Amino acid sequence: MAAIAAAAGTPCYIYDAGAIRAAYMTLDRAFDAYPHAIHYALKANSSLAVVRLLQSLGSHADANSLGEVDVAMRCGFRPDQIVFTGVGKSAAEIDRAVSLGLLAINVESPGELDRIDQRAVAQNVKTRVALRVNPDIDAKSHPHISTGLKSNKFGVPIGEAPALFREMSSRRGLLPVGAHVHIGSQITTLDPLQKAAQAVVALAQALRGEGIALQHLDMGGGLGISYDGAPVVDPAEYVRALVAATKGSHLKVAIEPGRVLVGPAGVLLTKVVDVKQFPGAKRFVVVDAGMTELMRPALYNAYHRIEPLVRREAPESIVDIVGPICESTDAYARDRAFPHVEVDDLLVVYDVGAYGAAMGHTYLRRPLPPEVMIDGDQWKVIRRRQTLDELLALETE
Ligand code: LLP
């Protein structure tokens, strides 16, 4: 890593292709022979090389914007391998999604059902749709990333689903092929995921009784990873629970994992730029990465393990590890016992492969950092550092 830091500079994201492959294979194998598709949620990390790697493993794709649909196709996914979700799809997004013939557009509301139908009729096609249901299940995750309660903006109440499926079946432009549920992210217990799966299976069975035969059940993403060593759901156990819930229906299971595939495969390398001690108060380790590179601590108070790349022989102290941004929320860790570090030491921030680079931004005119992919004993830069000129290229004086 020191060689990468020297070549690519800091801050810098580093991903391990082997870890992504292993995480994908764990999920895929756990399905055994049950019909399934793993739709990688591009939102977790849509860097081209990461998406391409997952495509090469046989993954399908979950896109949340037209940009992600286009990235997926650029990386080799066929339109019929892509599901398109999004709580506020624009007219342009609907129009293009319909014209591409995606595996399913996940419908979020009665109004959207209508708009998709209109665009499909105008294009003289029948568009495959799935209905995103909101089962009112508490994912017991961080409130900012819970999506399955009726107080959340996502999907339609599950009680209204049968009537909306009937409505979709009656529309000239729509072909209802699936039911979709996604109750949140960083879910660390099996129970809510299992309950959500059982709810959509029950819905599909009821629909079948009415003569509406679905093709797939999309159970969403959401499986959590252990950022701090606390126990989480074993991914294979999660898959087996989904299959157990679904197999009576004989329907194909789709899942949309993001974090569990790429989260643990990424680290952020950052350099100490200052260490300062307020007398009788805090000790701050200031690093060259901040909320611009990694938003999660500032946004969700998220915990990430951090370690010096090379440990010095000196006692630990309690420190805040903070970034260089002019906001007090710009801290990666507060009051954490940490080994002694000095200016220019390299630190490794763990488990940032998901929602790290993907949520990066350029506040303070900070160019986006590079990303590196390690594969075995080889590594390559998969995104070079943005230059200030590139950052300003859209502007006129
Ligand atoms: N499918 C849908 C419809 C989603 O909204 C999401 C995530 C996923 C799949 C993938 O979920 P995963 O398997 O990665 O949990 N920025 C937050 C996470 C936001 C997740 C949004 N939706 C974070 O850094 O924790």
Side-chain angles (χ1 to χ4, degrees), residues 90-112:
S90 68
E93 285 182 314
I94 291 175
D95 218 29
R96 183 152 154 78
V98 166
S99 72
L100 288 171
L102 303 180
L103 177 69
I105 303 177
N106 290 331
V107 178
E108 293 267 354
S109 73
E112 189 178 89

Side-chain angles (χ1 to χ4, degrees), residues 129-214:
V129 284
L131 186 66
R132 177 169 186 178
V133 298
N134 183 322
D136 197 23
I137 291 172
D138 186 356
K140 301 203 170 58
S141 175
H142 190 283
H144 291 184
I145 50 176
S146 284
T147 52
L149 284 173
K150 64 172 183 253
S151 53
N152 300 131
K153 65 185 175 184
F154 301 93
V156 302
I158 194 159
E160 290 175 18
L164 287 169
F165 270 104
R166 269 174 238 130
E167 182 63 28
M168 291 195 291
S169 305
S170 74
R171 294 297 182 100
R172 194 146 60 90
L174 303 180
L175 180 67
V177 293
H180 175 228
V181 68
H182 173 78
I183 58 169
S185 193
Q186 184 52 16
I187 302 172
T188 55
T189 52
L190 192 52
D191 186 57
L193 293 160
Q194 216 165 5
K195 286 212 172 85
Q198 288 160 351
V200 282
V201 173
L203 172 65
Q205 306 279 39
L207 291 171
R208 182 175 290 166
E210 296 190 25
I212 300 174
L214 301 181

Side-chain angles (χ1 to χ4, degrees), residues 9-310:
T10 58
C12 169
Y13 275 98
I14 304 174
Y15 310 121
D16 176 3
I20 296 176
R21 274 190 209 103
Y24 181 86
M25 295 317 288
T26 299
L27 286 181
D28 194 41
R29 288 201 184 115
F31 277 100
D32 210 354
Y34 196 81
H36 67 278
I38 299 174
H39 291 260
Y40 169 57
L42 264 75
K43 62 172 76 66
N45 187 322
S46 55
S47 297
L48 295 176
V50 172
V51 179
R52 174 71 75 178
L53 172 61
L54 281 148
Q55 190 271 344
S56 75
L57 298 174
S59 177
H60 293 190
D62 162 43
N64 246 249
S65 68
L66 214 45
E68 287 189 351
V69 170
D70 282 330
V71 165
M73 293 204 304
R74 195 184 282 214
C75 293
F77 291 98
R78 298 191 313 264
D80 66 359
Q81 296 177 319
I82 302 171
V83 292
F84 178 31
T85 313
V87 79
K89 301 179 194 75
S90 68
E93 285 182 314
I94 291 175
D95 218 29
R96 183 152 154 78
V98 166
S99 72
L100 288 171
L102 303 180
L103 177 69
I105 303 177
N106 290 331
V107 178
E108 293 267 354
S109 73
E112 189 178 89
L113 180 162
D114 223 30
R115 289 188 287 277
I116 298 172
D117 182 43
Q118 279 167 21
R119 295 315 306 156
V121 170
Q123 293 183 31
N124 206 14
V125 292
K126 229 172 169 39
T127 278
R128 285 188 292 261
V129 284
L131 186 66
R132 177 169 186 178
V133 298
N134 183 322
D136 197 23
I137 291 172
D138 186 356
K140 301 203 170 58
S141 175
H142 190 283
H144 291 184
I145 50 176
S146 284
T147 52
L149 284 173
K150 64 172 183 253
S151 53
N152 300 131
K153 65 185 175 184
F154 301 93
V156 302
I158 194 159
E160 290 175 18
L164 287 169
F165 270 104
R166 269 174 238 130
E167 182 63 28
M168 291 195 291
S169 305
S170 74
R171 294 297 182 100
R172 194 146 60 90
L174 303 180
L175 180 67
V177 293
H180 175 228
V181 68
H182 173 78
I183 58 169
S185 193
Q186 184 52 16
I187 302 172
T188 55
T189 52
L190 192 52
D191 186 57
L193 293 160
Q194 216 165 5
K195 286 212 172 85
Q198 288 160 351
V200 282
V201 173
L203 172 65
Q205 306 279 39
L207 291 171
R208 182 175 290 166
E210 296 190 25
I212 300 174
L214 301 181
Q215 296 167 14
H216 74 259
L217 299 179
D218 181 344
M219 305 302 193
L223 192 62
I225 60 173
S226 186
Y227 287 99
D228 58 0
V232 291
V233 180
D234 172 56
E237 194 192 336
Y238 155 75
V239 166
R240 287 195 292 269
L242 294 185
V243 171
T246 317
K247 64 172 185 276
S249 73
H250 302 293
L251 288 171
K252 178 172 173 179
V253 175
I255 54 171
E256 303 171 343
R259 188 186 319 260
V260 72
L261 291 178
V262 295
V267 298
L268 176 64
L269 211 51
T270 181
K271 191 182 276 185
V272 176
V273 290
D274 196 10
V275 178
K276 61 181 187 177
Q277 173 82 53
F278 286 8
K282 291 236 182 199
R283 184 173 176 84
F284 293 99
V285 173
V286 188
V287 296
D288 65 359
M291 60 194 284
T292 38
E293 288 71 28
L294 177 66
M295 284 269 276
R296 303 194 70 258
L299 209 50
Y300 319 111
N301 203 17
Y303 176 93
H304 284 269
R305 193 160 56 90
I306 306 174
E307 280 169 13
L309 185 62
V310 180

